[in-house]
Amino acid sequence: MGVEDGRKHELVFAYYVTGHGFGHATRVVEVVRHLIDAGHDVHVVTGAPDFVFTTEIQSPRLFVRKVLLDCGAVQADALTVDRLASLEKYSETAVVPRDSILATEVEWLNSIKADLVVSDVVPVACRAATDAGIRSVCVTNFSWDFIYAEYVMAAGIHHRSIVWQIAEDYSHCEFLIRLPGYCPMPAFRDVIDVPLVVRRLHKPREQIRKELGIGEDVKVVILNFGGQPAGWKLKEEYLPPGWLCLVCGASDSQELPPNFIKLAKDVYTPDLIAASDCMLGKIGYGTVSEALAYKLPFVFVRRDYFNEEPFLRNMLEHYQGGVEMIRRDLLTGHWKPYLERAMTLRPCYEGGSNGGEVAACILQDTASGKNYLSNKVSGARRLRDAIFLGYQLQRVPGRDLCIPDWYANAETELGLRTGSPTDEISDDSFLVDSYQENFEILQGDLLGLPDTVSFLKSLAELDVAYDSGKNTAKHKMRERKAAAALFDWEEDIYVARAPGRLDVMGGIADYSGSLVLQMPIREACHVAVQKIHPGKERLWKHAQARKLAKGEGSTPVLQIVSYGSELSNRGPTFDMDLSDFLDGEQPISYAKARNYFAQDPSQRWAAYVAGTILVLMKEKGIRFENSISMLVSSAVPEGKGVSSSASVEVASMSAIAASHGLKIPPRELALLCQKVENHVVGAPCGVMDQMTSACGESNKLLAMICQPAEVLGLVDIPSHIRFWGIDSGIRHSVGGTDYGSVRVGAFMGRRIIKSVASTLLSQSLSSNGTTPDDSEEDGVELLESEALLDHLCNLSPHRYEALYSKMLPESLLGETFLEKYTDHNDPVTVIDKKRNYGLRAAARHPIYENFRVKAFKALLTSATSDEQLTALGELMYQCHYSYSACGLGSDGTDRLVQLVQEMQHSKMSKSVEGTLYGAKITGGGSGGTVCVIGKNCIRSSEQIFEIQQKYKNATGYLPVIFEGSSPGAGKFGHLRIRRRNPSNKVNV
């Protein structure tokens, strides 16, 4: 049924359009066109140029009101989202003037006598509609609470209210008209799905090509970035011979080569898309929907930090329409292998593209009084838990893309293995039942670790036939295809293993020199490494093409495959020439390395792996003459505060060292891996994570003083005590702003304490000329040591309270501190002059935490009693609330700790002997995992599972539980393995 058939009377629609890009405006055009064709008035509230609407709709019923009520995601360039700037801009645009916006919009909505408010997808519009007594509907494939949720983790706790307010605003909407390629949107309780919303064609392909003077024998790619990367100059050689490129968004002053054609800014792009042979650009709803509708292969480059992308990417690849291009190849012009790959695709989307008409019908019916609501409760409600905790890292298996499915091996004429990009792996086609039939262990011991057995089996499964007639999970197929080219099965492969860690006590006090107690967890990262003579490696097609374009001979190459990329929206593979790590004959600086990996944020993860090679070059003088292939498979989940990054670093460096005959003691290896994170990745972490991963042992706590890394030994966990980790679901990152700012505050505090101590020392020495007695001498010596204080944790709590606590300000502007003290003397953080740093709490925490950890360690060896467990639990609680005072708490971790407390103090626990005694946030804070202490008994485990269910009931998120322990990388050593009967393998 068309829109006209359902019309009852003329209606007035107020249609709000988000300020993020033209994609939203172009799909709004299609819905609005159908509403106007049905005889209704539509007032579009937008920040987009008028021509976006008036080019397609020439009608007196269209009213364009130029108002920007949200800013979307602020782009640092065409491919990079600036997360902090996005939140700050949204605050400036929609939060600070919120009251006046609501008042203005309510008055305006009443003045036009709107029958329905439609939002794509402006949050405040839904609230304004409610205040005006008008119904509202959202039309979208994503919502800003979902997009901003991860930004908040990087930007800091003070921005969280933005996400909460957006979620509440959306909850005023009656229902959601949901477009294909959608993200999780829990703020909406009632949903109607519609087909793709796609702009119609004005002219056929043949006419457009004729007008442009392009014959059918010419291959045409349309470059559609919505603005090009800054400073980028297009060159003639970027295109294969005989190709032309239509360039959208080129500046007026930009000069283009003869095989590039500049398009007018107001050109009607759907016609040009349909007239092209493929599209090259970034993923957005508009580009993906039109590529699918017109069956155009789409060569895409990932955008970092835009959470909508993986869901659209999945849809694109599902319909066999996508080829992923590495950003480095985009910018350097290595386009040929990607464009040629695109020409082999046969996009197969057969779904509807009339979503604009369908959505318009639904909007008209709603405005006329029809009720689309289910029986579920709707209306205003706060959804803080659902938004901020409930889905942040929960992606539906198979919905997210990981490995581009064109990662076949280079062609036979290059002397390499071949493979069909459409092949599937069948789990039923595996030729082996266990690793033992496939690999001979030449060196090392499995130590009975089942995860290592599983990893070896997964290696064996790489070298079996692909059965295109059977299906398996698509992301697994892609990962295996990408990894299948890595290894020469006739040569040795080296395998290392490194676990994550549970921060029992110590946490962020490590960078202040505290004693810490850390437990290696059961979950670990495995890395397989093989060194291969240059020229004999099996390169991916794009890497081979790039090498041939450079005219390079046998030069060493690094290739990495990382499993599990679909969980974190990152590129699954990384490759580079190892010569990129050289500046002449010397290794490049760490600063250059950081910039190198920052070029493509979707591949920034490779800094944790490849960075180990650079550190070995710089710190150990190692020269790598061979190519290196690496497969990284980590069971340590990312963003949960259990040191996923440290486990990857330690496993990677261990495997590389083993494959090159380097013997590095575990402690030294941990310190080298800390350099990777501090200097190559640029995260200001302490060393406890790497030390635990490298030096820890199963079912023991590693005790170490972080000054910088003095291992005191291993502390046995008493048999009656057990530790668990419970994940809050809130993503944690030591690279996050909160962690870094608290660290800066601690170092500021140390600098001020040293200055105060120097002043007190001078006053003491000049106060009298008489010979001091013994007590005065002792006081002078204390002040002398405090004036030279190397670590905050070397200051005792009583000295801090007696002399320094009142001298420290609660907070201090970076600029004010620098004017007086010049520097905070922390080599891995930089003071932002405009930032106000929490200082007193940040400095107090490590001083008291060091005392708590010492007390905790002593209590572990004391007599077994209920008082012992109560005291251990109390120390953990104190630590938790000290984190919060620093600004490193979170709603999720607070809720978990509260659940433990409720369980501990419940009547049931008091009537019988208690089992849970304490809990604390761990690691860098601001989310992540909570550590719980309790009795080692069945009832404790039952209570942990009860807490898990209560948390899920409250937040919608089922927490991961960490229990069990495993040996560190030093204890594991490495395995040297070789394939049995490699000649019998089946090529792909």
Side-chain angles (χ1 to χ4, degrees), residues 42-70:
V42 182
H43 295 255
V44 176
V45 184
T46 180
D50 287 2
F51 75 79
V52 176
F53 302 93
T54 57
T55 300
E56 177 68 0
I57 304 171
Q58 294 90 33
S59 169
R61 292 189 177 277
L62 171 67
F63 304 88
V64 179
R65 176 173 168 240
K66 299 301 287 295
V67 179
L68 184 65
L69 296 180
D70 74 355

Side-chain angles (χ1 to χ4, degrees), residues 748 812-824 831-833:
M748 280 182 169
L812 193 63
L813 189 68
E815 188 173 28
T816 305
F817 175 86
L818 291 172
E819 286 174 357
K820 186 172 182 179
Y821 299 102
T822 307
D823 191 13
H824 66 323
I831 294 176
D832 180 350
K833 291 183 178 180

Side-chain angles (χ1 to χ4, degrees), residues 87-337:
L87 292 172
E88 290 178 341
K89 183 68 174 177
Y90 185 84
S91 180
E92 174 188 321
T93 305
V95 177
V96 174
R98 177 177 172 82
D99 291 344
S100 62
I101 287 173
L102 284 171
T104 300
E105 295 311 303
V106 168
E107 181 180 356
W108 177 75
L109 288 170
N110 288 325
S111 71
I112 65 169
K113 296 182 171 56
D115 293 291
L116 185 70
V117 169
V118 189
S119 178
D120 184 356
V121 60
V122 181
V124 74
C126 303
R127 175 58 186 268
T130 295
D131 289 355
I134 303 169
R135 302 168 76 186
S136 65
V137 174
C138 282
V139 183
T140 185
N141 66 302
F142 74 83
S143 54
W144 286 113
D145 50 335
F146 178 76
I147 300 299
Y148 286 157
E150 198 160 336
Y151 299 2
V152 170
M153 298 315 301
I157 191 171
H158 51 288
H159 285 292
R160 288 186 188 170
S161 60
I162 289 177
V163 177
W164 299 339
Q165 187 63 68
I166 289 172
E168 186 180 9
D169 282 349
Y170 284 147
S171 72
H172 289 270
C173 153
E174 288 205 14
F175 61 88
L176 166 68
I177 297 177
R178 187 168 62 182
L179 307 180
Y182 57 82
C183 305
M185 291 181 278
F188 302 98
R189 290 298 186 265
D190 295 278
V191 176
I192 300 174
D193 287 305
V194 299
L196 287 174
V197 176
V198 180
R199 289 178 290 177
R200 62 179 176 171
L201 296 181
H202 289 170
K203 300 176 183 178
R205 170 189 172 95
E206 296 75 16
Q207 182 179 345
I208 293 294
R209 282 194 168 235
K210 184 176 180 180
E211 291 176 359
L212 293 172
I214 300 172
E216 280 298 323
D217 59 329
V218 177
K219 296 296 182 187
V220 177
V221 56
I222 183 167
L223 186 66
N224 193 356
F225 272 100
Q228 296 170 27
W232 192 32
K233 186 175 181 181
L234 297 169
K235 298 179 181 179
E236 186 174 354
E237 60 268 25
Y238 286 8
L239 295 176
W243 281 67
L244 283 177
C245 181
L246 307 179
V247 183
C248 302
S251 65
D252 294 335
S253 60
Q254 186 175 3
E255 295 183 5
L256 297 180
N259 51 350
F260 287 77
I261 299 173
K262 187 185 301 185
L263 299 175
K265 284 187 169 35
D266 59 352
V267 70
Y268 190 66
T269 53
D271 288 349
L272 292 161
I273 288 173
S276 300
D277 295 290
C278 71
M279 178 158 52
L280 171 57
K282 63 186 179 183
I283 284 181
Y285 180 85
T287 53
V288 169
S289 62
E290 290 174 352
L292 289 175
Y294 303 128
K295 291 184 167 53
L296 191 75
F298 188 176
V299 179
F300 62 86
V301 182
R302 292 189 188 224
R303 278 189 297 178
D304 53 298
Y305 308 131
F306 199 68
N307 300 340
E308 168 197 25
E309 182 180 281
F311 301 92
L312 292 172
R313 194 169 70 241
N314 177 70
M315 182 169 67
L316 185 67
E317 292 260 336
H318 178 75
Y319 293 111
Q320 301 176 30
V323 175
E324 180 177 341
M325 177 184 279
I326 297 169
R327 185 181 302 195
R328 184 169 72 247
D329 287 346
L330 169 75
L331 299 178
T332 55
H334 295 293
W335 296 6
K336 182 180 177 181

Side-chain angles (χ1 to χ4, degrees), residues 232-545:
W232 192 32
K233 186 175 181 181
L234 297 169
K235 298 179 181 179
E236 186 174 354
E237 60 268 25
Y238 286 8
L239 295 176
W243 281 67
L244 283 177
C245 181
L246 307 179
V247 183
C248 302
S251 65
D252 294 335
S253 60
Q254 186 175 3
E255 295 183 5
L256 297 180
N259 51 350
F260 287 77
I261 299 173
K262 187 185 301 185
L263 299 175
K265 284 187 169 35
D266 59 352
V267 70
Y268 190 66
T269 53
D271 288 349
L272 292 161
I273 288 173
S276 300
D277 295 290
C278 71
M279 178 158 52
L280 171 57
K282 63 186 179 183
I283 284 181
Y285 180 85
T287 53
V288 169
S289 62
E290 290 174 352
L292 289 175
Y294 303 128
K295 291 184 167 53
L296 191 75
F298 188 176
V299 179
F300 62 86
V301 182
R302 292 189 188 224
R303 278 189 297 178
D304 53 298
Y305 308 131
F306 199 68
N307 300 340
E308 168 197 25
E309 182 180 281
F311 301 92
L312 292 172
R313 194 169 70 241
N314 177 70
M315 182 169 67
L316 185 67
E317 292 260 336
H318 178 75
Y319 293 111
Q320 301 176 30
V323 175
E324 180 177 341
M325 177 184 279
I326 297 169
R327 185 181 302 195
R328 184 169 72 247
D329 287 346
L330 169 75
L331 299 178
T332 55
H334 295 293
W335 296 6
K336 182 180 177 181
Y338 302 94
L339 297 177
E340 290 177 346
R341 170 72 184 112
M343 289 297 93
T344 69
L345 297 182
R346 296 293 179 266
C348 60
Y349 178 77
E350 299 295 344
S353 56
N354 62 334
E357 180 182 4
V358 175
C361 284
I362 296 169
L363 293 174
Q364 177 183 256
D365 288 347
T366 304
S368 300
K370 182 173 180 178
N371 184 11
Y372 277 95
L373 292 179
S374 68
N375 293 326
K376 292 179 288 186
V377 176
S378 295
R381 61 242 160 185
R382 286 204 172 272
L383 297 168
R384 296 185 178 190
D385 292 329
I387 299 308
F388 205 70
L389 308 176
Y391 62 79
Q392 205 175 358
L393 293 178
Q394 292 188 99
R395 301 186 188 275
V396 178
R399 286 199 55 124
D400 295 320
L401 291 187
C402 43
I403 290 179
D405 83 355
W406 73 286
Y407 269 104
N409 309 90
E411 300 299 332
T412 307
E413 58 266 26
L414 299 175
L416 306 176
R417 169 187 301 197
T418 62
S420 166
T422 59
D423 284 343
E424 298 276 351
I425 295 179
S426 168
D427 289 336
D428 296 331
S429 70
F430 295 155
L431 305 178
V432 294
D433 293 322
S434 85
Y435 78 94
Q436 294 171 323
E437 299 176 15
N438 295 277
F439 289 110
E440 180 182 0
I441 297 180
L442 304 174
Q443 185 178 346
D445 190 335
L446 291 170
L447 300 181
L449 294 165
D451 60 339
T452 304
V453 173
S454 296
F455 178 70
L456 293 183
K457 185 176 179 182
S458 74
L459 276 182
E461 291 167 354
L462 291 177
D463 193 35
V464 299
Y466 288 85
D467 183 351
S468 59
K470 305 279 185 73
N471 290 319
T472 188
K474 197 163 188 177
H475 71 277
K476 289 184 178 179
M477 181 272 287
R478 294 180 183 126
E479 287 182 342
R480 289 170 182 153
K481 185 162 286 187
L486 285 175
F487 301 119
D488 180 347
W489 299 110
E490 297 185 2
E491 300 296 331
D492 293 353
I493 297 173
Y494 293 79
V495 174
R497 177 192 185 278
R501 67 94 187 94
L502 183 63
D503 167 35
V504 174
M505 287 292 286
I508 58 166
D510 64 338
Y511 56 66
S512 294
S514 178
L515 172 68
V516 298
L517 296 172
Q518 308 293 308
M519 185 182 80
I521 60 176
R522 180 179 58 189
E523 292 76 11
C525 174
H526 287 85
V527 174
V529 169
Q530 186 177 69
K531 62 178 183 179
I532 307 171
H533 188 277
K536 293 185 178 181
E537 66 277 276
R538 301 170 175 183
L539 297 178
W540 296 311
K541 287 181 179 178
H542 67 277
Q544 180 71 27

